[in-house]
Amino acid sequence: MGVALLSLVRHFVLFFITLGLIPHQQTLASITRHYKFDVCIQLQNVTRLCHTKSIVTVNGQFPGPRIVAREGDHLLIKVVNHVQSNISIHWHGIRQLQTGWADGPAYITQCPMQTGNNYVYNFTIIGQRGTLWWHAHISWLRSTTYGPLIILPKRGVPYPFTKPYKEVPIIFGEWWNVDPEAVINQALQTGGGPNVSDAYTINGLPGPLYNCSAKDTFKLKVQVVGKTYLLRLINAALNDELFFSIANHTLKVVETDAVYVKPFDTNTILIAPGQTTNVLLKTKPNFPNATFLMTARPYVTGLGTFDNSTVAAILEYETTTLHSILPLNKLPLHKPILPALNDTSFATKFASKLRSLNTPEFPANVPQKVDKRLFFTIGLGTNPCSQQQHKNQTCQGPNGTMFAASINNVSFTMPNTALLQSHFSGQSKGVYSPDFPISPSIPFNYTGAQLNNTNVSNGTKLMVLPFNTSVELVLQDTSILGAESHPLHLHGFNFFVVGQGFGNFDQNYDPRKFNLVDPVERNTVSVPSGGWVAIRFLADNPGVWFMHCHLEIHTSWGLKMAWVVLDGELPNQKLLPPPLDLPKC
């Protein structure tokens, strides 16, 4: 009883200390919002493409419920696990300043919730507004367990663009007729590539271009007379970057990854898994006597198989008898023209248009000095076929090996306990080593001919950064098993994309072209196929932070690592202690 009481007293003391660290204006302007997530198997089986199956959902919804808050709000989200699988939830893009315990990736910042257990994710939204999202962060459960996280500006603060008439989330996903957990388990067991999805989805629906799917079509109903709609685009697909377009309509890009950008018009956007993009859609001034398809299909750069299909939704103008004498289902249906599947030229031009707004209200605080320069190679590789596992049978990876993926040739081995807890308690020995390489141990022609030796090393290596270290990181794609675009996501931080190019990064020449004035600020960036991208960020958030490819198969193969950011000297520069209900492994 005495121990429990002492623990409770400590908890309340910590609460009031933490409250004291919050600026007075923020406590007055913000509110606490409560949500409850019941993770469960969908009671009524879900049917798509004439295939019915059980799926893991939150609150029985697919996609999951929408979280809406304002900048400065405090969120308390209670997640209860009713399924047989372990579960954890990641709030993708939330900075989690001092609250790394709420970030969510399993075995990185927390042990997952086991069946019957619950955990309250407790965090405050500081200095962020825009479209983010949440998703399961263990195995491939995020295939059905995801939803939008919308952060509105503080009350009285307008958007830096035309106020929209209506705001609509558009979430891209993937659908398998079988259980995606069985798909990844089979791939990891055989060492081969996974079976691809059977369809892409928009707001959970595949649309009319697939067989047995016409009734499962999302319809966006809009009004005429030049109304402006804000479309909040989220790519929740597991393994595919996507092109997206609306027939006969122009989109104005105004935000990426919850950061305002200089607006520009485009007919097509490119969005990678993990990324969000806000666009303005202005409707036509007169009834068009037509309906319009909104379609998405993959941008493909790798050598492996992929889901070569197209998802469609319908943009439908609301009508009266004055507008048309034809019923809506008889009106002409216009289709957009999307770039070719491998149109890297479009991808490059689209990325080059993204620039931070960089106004006094929304500055681009690009680190101008660099304390630590890092060079990370990323790409695929192999592990030898596990004879113990396969009993002398040949694996299905390249030349009888098992597929792997790595950063600086280190394929990350997931620990059995949470890295953040090991770091905080000072008990990291035997859990991880703090010696992640700052560059490849053996330099080579990264984008040249494929190497004979494709083996990776394996380990749980982390990189340690003192608080407030200014980091410049070059991410270099490799062609070891074929060049490929990789969307890299960094937890706990936004970063500035100061440069990118093709071929091997040249330290003597390429930095001269860096944009240090208004580069786009993101949490997920696509490393160009056969090229490189340079980012800068300030390590001002103490804790342990995951960085990984957001192509889920590459994460499963080991294309991931983690950073340890040490505490600073001031109270508001230190990681807060773990909550009492933190799940145990």
Side-chain angles (χ1 to χ4, degrees):
M1 178 72 73
V3 174
L5 182 60
L6 181 60
S7 177
L8 189 61
V9 169
R10 285 175 177 167
H11 184 68
F12 276 104
V13 169
L14 173 64
F15 172 77
F16 286 111
I17 291 175
T18 305
L19 194 61
L21 298 175
I22 301 175
H24 182 61
Q25 295 91 335
Q26 183 177 316
T27 60
L28 292 177
S30 61
I31 65 172
T32 298
R33 298 177 187 265
H34 296 261
Y35 287 88
K36 185 180 180 185
F37 277 20
D38 285 301
V39 181
C40 53
I41 298 291
Q42 180 73 307
L43 297 178
Q44 296 177 338
N45 288 334
V46 175
T47 300
R48 300 286 187 273
L49 312 180
C50 284
H51 283 76
T52 301
K53 66 174 185 176
S54 298
I55 62 173
V56 177
T57 64
V58 168
N59 298 351
Q61 300 176 41
F62 173 59
R66 184 185 313 180
I67 288 181
V68 180
R70 288 192 181 275
E71 179 185 349
D73 283 353
H74 181 205
L75 291 182
L76 293 169
I77 307 170
K78 183 177 182 179
V79 178
V80 184
N81 185 12
H82 300 282
V83 300
Q84 294 303 307
S85 305
N86 290 346
I87 195 75
S88 68
I89 304 292
H90 170 51
W91 318 96
H92 185 113
I94 294 290
R95 286 289 315 274
Q96 298 292 1
L97 292 166
Q98 295 186 269
T99 54
W101 308 103
D103 191 42
Y107 301 107
I108 306 298
T109 59
Q110 68 166 92
C111 297
M113 283 163 277
Q114 300 177 21
T115 305
N117 291 352
N118 62 77
Y119 180 44
V120 176
Y121 290 91
N122 181 347
F123 58 91
T124 300
I125 301 169
I126 300 173
Q128 292 182 278
R129 80 293 303 165
T131 301
L132 296 173
W133 63 301
W134 59 263
H135 60 84
H137 210 304
I138 184 169
S139 191
W140 280 22
L141 289 179
R142 77 171 180 87
S143 61
T144 57
T145 311
Y146 61 85
L149 198 171
I150 295 169
I151 308 169
L152 301 173
K154 292 180 180 179
R155 289 196 179 278
V157 178
Y159 292 127
F161 47 78
T162 303
K163 183 179 180 181
Y165 170 72
K166 190 174 181 180
E167 303 181 9
V168 184
I170 303 287
I171 312 179
F172 306 106
E174 285 185 89
W175 172 265
W176 276 262
N177 288 332
V178 299
D179 181 6
E181 290 298 282
V183 172
I184 182 55
N185 289 339
Q186 180 186 36
L188 294 178
Q189 183 178 10
T190 63
N195 292 329
V196 300
S197 57
D198 294 285
Y200 300 105
T201 58
I202 291 178
N203 291 348
L205 302 170
L209 304 185
Y210 295 100
N211 290 331
C212 194
S213 186
K215 63 180 177 53
D216 295 320
T217 300
F218 173 72
K219 291 186 178 182
L220 175 59
K221 297 185 177 182
V222 298
Q223 295 187 5
V224 293
V225 198
K227 299 284 187 183
T228 297
Y229 289 75
L230 177 64
L231 305 186
R232 298 179 178 269
L233 308 176
I234 301 167
N235 189 348
L238 265 68
N239 293 313
D240 292 280
E241 300 182 65
L242 295 170
F243 295 116
F244 171 74
S245 183
I246 303 177
N248 294 15
H249 288 75
T250 299
L251 304 173
K252 184 182 292 291
V253 177
V254 294
E255 176 199 302
T256 57
D257 290 358
V259 180
Y260 298 133
V261 298
K262 290 182 172 66
F264 66 92
D265 292 338
T266 182
N267 294 324
T268 303
I269 72 147
L270 177 61
I271 184 167
Q275 291 182 338
T276 65
T277 303
N278 280 7
V279 298
L280 297 180
L281 168 71
K282 190 170 184 179
T283 59
K284 298 184 180 300
N286 301 301
F287 186 76
N289 279 308
T291 54
F292 306 90
L293 282 184
M294 311 188 294
T295 62
R297 75 176 182 195
Y299 165 53
V300 181
T301 57
L303 300 178
T305 56
F306 63 96
D307 180 354
N308 184 12
S309 65
T310 302
V311 60
I314 293 177
L315 177 69
E316 187 176 278
Y317 280 76
E318 294 180 350
T319 181
T320 68
T321 53
L322 297 176
H323 288 141
S324 176
I325 59 174
L326 291 174
L328 285 174
N329 60 358
K330 299 294 185 183
L331 291 175
L333 180 62
H334 296 292
K335 299 179 181 180
I337 299 175
L338 290 169
L341 294 168
N342 61 349
D343 195 342
T344 295
S345 175
F346 177 90
T348 304
K349 291 175 183 176
F350 183 81
S352 69
K353 294 177 183 177
L354 296 171
R355 292 283 186 270
S356 287
L357 196 57
N358 195 26
T359 62
E361 297 81 11
F362 305 104
N365 296 316
V366 188
Q368 297 297 310
K369 71 176 184 68
V370 175
D371 300 319
K372 198 173 187 70
R373 284 188 166 86
L374 304 169
F375 182 79
F376 288 2
T377 57
I378 59 174
L380 303 187
T382 59
N383 273 316
C385 191
S386 171
Q387 296 302 318
Q388 185 178 14
Q389 180 178 353
H390 294 274
K391 297 178 182 178
N392 296 322
Q393 294 181 3
T394 302
C395 289
Q396 295 179 11
N399 301 316
T401 62
M402 303 182 74
F403 269 115
S406 67
I407 302 177
N408 276 352
N409 206 46
V410 179
S411 188
F412 192 81
T413 303
M414 291 295 286
N416 296 317
T417 189
L419 296 175
L420 182 58
Q421 201 159 6
S422 301
H423 160 66
F424 186 82
S425 64
Q427 299 175 342
S428 61
K429 188 175 181 180
V431 179
Y432 68 84
S433 60
D435 57 350
F436 191 89
I438 64 172
S439 61
S441 57
I442 303 175
F444 60 97
N445 184 4
Y446 308 114
T447 56
Q450 295 186 13
L451 304 179
N452 293 328
N453 183 1
T454 59
N455 286 344
V456 300
S457 64
N458 298 274
T460 310
K461 296 177 182 288
L462 277 62
M463 176 160 289
V464 180
L465 298 173
F467 184 82
N468 249 9
T469 299
S470 175
V471 179
E472 180 179 287
L473 170 60
V474 175
L475 297 160
Q476 172 73 61
D477 183 35
T478 64
S479 56
I480 292 175
L481 287 177
E484 187 169 358
S485 176
H486 297 274
L488 262 289
H489 172 48
L490 176 60
H491 290 228
F493 300 93
N494 281 352
F495 50 76
F496 291 94
V497 184
V498 297
Q500 66 178 47
F502 291 98
N504 298 335
F505 175 73
D506 186 334
Q507 179 61 51
N508 295 320
Y509 173 73
D510 288 324
R512 302 176 193 172
K513 301 179 291 182
F514 283 178
N515 175 9
L516 303 180
V517 177
D518 63 348
V520 68
E521 184 180 351
R522 311 206 68 140
N523 63 60
T524 305
V525 64
S526 287
V527 181
S529 176
W532 55 270
V533 66
I535 66 174
R536 287 189 182 184
F537 67 95
L538 190 65
D540 60 353
N541 194 6
V544 176
W545 304 106
F546 207 21
M547 188 176 80
H548 60 95
C549 182
H550 226 282
L551 301 180
E552 209 63 38
I553 184 56
H554 291 177
T555 299
S556 300
W557 284 338
L559 209 166
K560 49 196 173 185
M561 57 83 69
W563 310 78
V564 177
V565 178
L566 302 177
D567 282 350
E569 295 181 359
L570 301 177
N572 64 353
Q573 297 173 346
K574 298 181 187 299
L575 175 68
L576 297 174
L580 298 178
D581 63 341
L582 186 71
K584 305 293 191 294
C585 286

